[in-house]
Amino acid sequence: MRKLGKFIRLVQNEYIKILKKVSTWIMLILILVVCVGYFGVSKIAEYQVKNNRYEMSEQDWKKQLNSNLTYAKETKYEGWEADVAEYQFCLDHEIFQYDWRRTAVTAVFHEVQDAAVAESLKTAIINEDWKAYFQYMLDAAPEGTEEDSWLYQYCIDHNLKPDQEDATYRLAAQLSTAKAELASMEQQKGNGVSVDANKYQKLKDNVQLYTYRLDHSITFDVSENTGWFNSGILNFWTVFSDSYRVLTFVGILMIMVCGAIVSSEFSQGTIKFLLINPAKRWKILAAKYVTAITFGYCMLLLTYLLSGLGSMLLFGTDNLGAQYFYVSSGAVKSMPGFVYILRNYMLSSVNILVMSSLAFAISSLVRNTALSVGIGMGAMLGGSLIVTILSAFRLDWARFLIFSNTDLIAISQGNSAFMGQTVGFALCVLGVHLFIFQGIGILSGLVIPKLMNV
């Protein structure tokens, strides 16, 4: 315990040094500025999305239908009579939006051959009797297409009105689509056709996940609300989940700290006073490394808290207690949304940790802050480009490079640049590199001062 207490005091001393520097506080202010900038961009994006979203009014729908009607009558292309009847029916009964009624009208005038059935369906459309139309679709479905008509039966059995604004109906529609696609792939497999194994497994997982959510009335899932950069949906969870992108800036600051924490002692001439300390040299170096890394993770947690708070203030607190659902080992599991995003922060920090360790090792070896920071930043920012180039040439040996294993989020989602890459393999590769970096850092920190006779 005494030895541990001495080591903790060494770390405390290093923290005192860091916190006394003006540059440290500038870093913290910059993190705040970057977070504010991120939310500013998010809010501007929300404003643009709302302004760019165009929803046709009833007047616009009438104009379009009348225009289509006129064009059909004038050109008299093949099948124009059915189109004219369809457009006129929609105008007469004010059917404008593309909902179940619009789909039913198309079926009536283009697919139904029996006049009595057609009239019955017209009556159902006018009376908004969606159950009658769904029952017709069930009866008309060919044998062997149960998955395609599953949604109709589910809506009838659960009295679920087909409305895209209803979250339960949207979830049921997602499940129906996944079931149909999975059945199609299984049929292909049965016919000896090769299918994408990852896509097949993903579909199986989605069917299981959507079924679970329907059975438990879970209409909101954090897994469907991640990343507004890709989805274009802006709410608390999409904005908060994408905030990990700010960690690139945190990584730069962390590399700057690691790259200077040893070399600055040499450049400022304070290394001799430091080594007068009765603590062993390897402990001093270890304390510096622990200080730099833990300080970096403090900045990471600060970013996480600021991002969560900013997301709440600007995008509200709807579904704040939502869970992240996923399938693992054949079972549906969940974790709190906040835990899921913190997990992504930690996974993203692995790249920062490794490159910061590289900067620390170079700082101990060459005692040059600019060089160690430059190499660390170059490796962190340029690593993905190197992996992209090597994977494009299908150089499989590149999977053993450190850059190929730092994006743990992509690897965990099966989106690695190399086939069969796993999180376990990536952690092993990263562990070996970290061991090498620390060996270089500590050994050089022990040998160089001895060569200088200090």
Side-chain angles (χ1 to χ4, degrees):
M1 291 298 293
R2 290 181 60 186
K3 292 182 178 179
L4 179 61
K6 289 181 179 179
F7 183 78
I8 292 175
R9 284 193 291 274
L10 286 173
V11 173
Q12 289 175 340
N13 290 335
E14 293 297 331
Y15 262 103
I16 291 172
K17 291 180 185 178
I18 290 178
L19 294 175
K20 281 185 177 180
K21 294 179 179 180
V22 176
S23 59
T24 300
W25 294 101
I26 293 176
M27 289 181 192
L28 296 175
I29 293 173
L30 286 175
I31 289 177
L32 178 61
V33 170
V34 170
C35 288
V36 171
Y38 168 74
F39 289 111
V41 171
S42 302
K43 206 62 183 175
I44 292 172
E46 181 188 40
Y47 176 77
Q48 290 180 334
V49 167
K50 287 182 178 179
N51 285 332
N52 293 335
R53 185 181 295 134
Y54 175 68
E55 295 183 1
M56 293 182 68
S57 63
E58 288 191 3
Q59 191 64 32
D60 291 332
W61 276 108
K62 287 181 180 179
K63 287 181 179 179
Q64 180 173 317
L65 285 170
N66 278 311
S67 176
N68 293 343
L69 189 64
T70 302
Y71 176 78
K73 289 180 177 179
E74 290 177 352
T75 58
K76 295 184 178 180
Y77 52 81
E78 184 179 355
W80 68 276
E81 296 95 336
D83 284 346
V84 167
E86 177 186 348
Y87 301 147
Q88 192 62 58
F89 185 88
C90 289
L91 286 169
D92 293 342
H93 299 283
E94 298 185 345
I95 301 173
F96 304 124
Q97 302 298 329
Y98 274 99
D99 55 9
W100 74 270
R101 293 194 305 162
R102 192 71 176 83
T103 304
V105 169
T106 301
V108 167
F109 290 97
H110 291 272
E111 300 172 13
V112 179
Q113 303 298 323
D114 190 308
V117 173
E119 289 302 319
S120 176
L121 287 177
K122 288 179 184 178
T123 302
I125 294 169
I126 294 171
N127 296 330
E128 297 191 14
D129 184 2
W130 59 269
K131 287 186 178 181
Y133 170 66
F134 276 19
Q135 188 60 54
Y136 161 77
M137 293 299 293
L138 282 172
D139 296 338
E143 291 186 8
T145 60
E146 290 78 9
E147 290 79 7
D148 293 329
S149 56
W150 176 88
L151 180 61
Y152 302 128
Q153 189 65 61
Y154 183 87
C155 289
I156 292 173
D157 292 343
H158 295 81
N159 195 32
L160 180 61
K161 183 179 179 180
D163 181 3
Q164 287 297 333
E165 298 299 320
D166 186 276
T168 303
Y169 176 75
R170 292 200 306 270
L171 180 58
Q174 285 179 293
L175 176 55
S176 178
T177 301
K179 280 176 173 285
E181 291 180 358
L182 182 61
S184 176
M185 291 192 76
E186 288 178 340
Q187 184 177 8
Q188 292 177 22
K189 289 181 65 177
N191 295 333
V193 179
S194 177
V195 299
D196 187 324
N198 289 333
K199 184 178 180 181
Y200 178 74
Q201 186 59 48
K202 181 66 175 177
L203 281 172
K204 288 185 67 176
D205 291 346
N206 283 345
V207 168
Q208 185 176 1
L209 181 59
Y210 295 151
T211 302
Y212 177 89
R213 288 176 55 193
L214 270 180
D215 292 344
H216 293 82
S217 302
I218 301 169
T219 56
F220 190 91
D221 181 359
V222 174
S223 67
E224 295 181 340
N225 290 269
T226 57
W228 68 267
F229 278 93
N230 297 323
S231 66
I233 301 171
L234 288 107
N235 57 40
F236 168 80
W237 286 110
T238 57
V239 174
F240 188 23
S241 66
D242 252 352
S243 63
Y244 76 91
R245 298 174 185 271
V246 178
L247 292 184
T248 299
F249 186 75
V250 174
I252 293 173
L253 300 181
M254 194 168 166
I255 288 173
M256 291 173 64
V257 172
C258 287
I261 198 167
V262 175
S263 57
S264 62
E265 299 283 2
F266 287 93
S267 61
Q268 295 172 7
T270 57
I271 187 66
K272 293 184 179 181
F273 299 104
L274 180 65
L275 295 178
I276 294 175
N277 193 307
K280 293 181 180 180
R281 293 176 178 180
W282 73 266
K283 287 187 178 181
I284 295 174
L285 288 171
K288 283 183 172 294
Y289 177 72
V290 169
T291 301
I293 297 301
T294 54
F295 182 73
Y297 274 93
C298 286
M299 290 193 289
L300 180 146
L301 291 175
L302 176 63
T303 304
Y304 174 82
L305 294 174
L306 290 175
S307 298
L309 180 61
S311 299
M312 290 183 197
L313 291 176
L314 294 180
F315 295 92
T317 57
D318 291 343
N319 301 300
L320 202 61
Q323 298 277 316
Y324 175 87
F325 292 90
Y326 61 101
V327 177
S328 177
S329 301
V332 177
K333 299 180 181 179
S334 67
M335 68 175 74
F338 286 98
V339 175
Y340 165 73
I341 294 177
L342 180 60
R343 186 204 70 162
N344 283 350
Y345 265 68
M346 291 303 174
L347 290 176
S348 299
S349 73
V350 170
N351 186 30
I352 299 172
L353 171 64
V354 174
M355 299 312 164
S356 298
S357 300
L358 174 61
F360 179 83
I362 296 173
S363 176
S364 300
L365 182 63
V366 301
R367 295 166 290 153
N368 186 303
T369 300
L371 181 61
S372 57
V373 171
I375 293 177
M377 290 175 58
M380 186 182 75
L381 299 176
S384 59
L385 177 61
I386 294 173
V387 172
T388 301
I389 294 173
L390 294 177
S391 62
F393 285 99
R394 298 182 179 179
L395 301 175
D396 193 64
W397 56 264
R399 69 172 64 240
F400 294 97
L401 295 178
I402 188 172
F403 309 116
S404 305
N405 298 276
T406 52
D407 191 354
L408 293 182
I409 293 180
I411 293 173
S412 65
Q413 295 173 346
N415 298 323
S416 172
F418 300 95
M419 185 88 58
Q421 197 93 333
T422 64
V423 173
F425 176 83
L427 291 175
C428 289
V429 173
L430 294 175
V432 171
H433 282 83
L434 278 174
F435 180 79
I436 294 172
F437 293 158
Q438 292 316 302
I440 293 173
I442 293 177
L443 288 176
S444 59
L446 293 175
V447 173
I448 291 176
K450 289 183 178 180
L451 295 178
M452 297 175 62
N453 296 317
V454 295

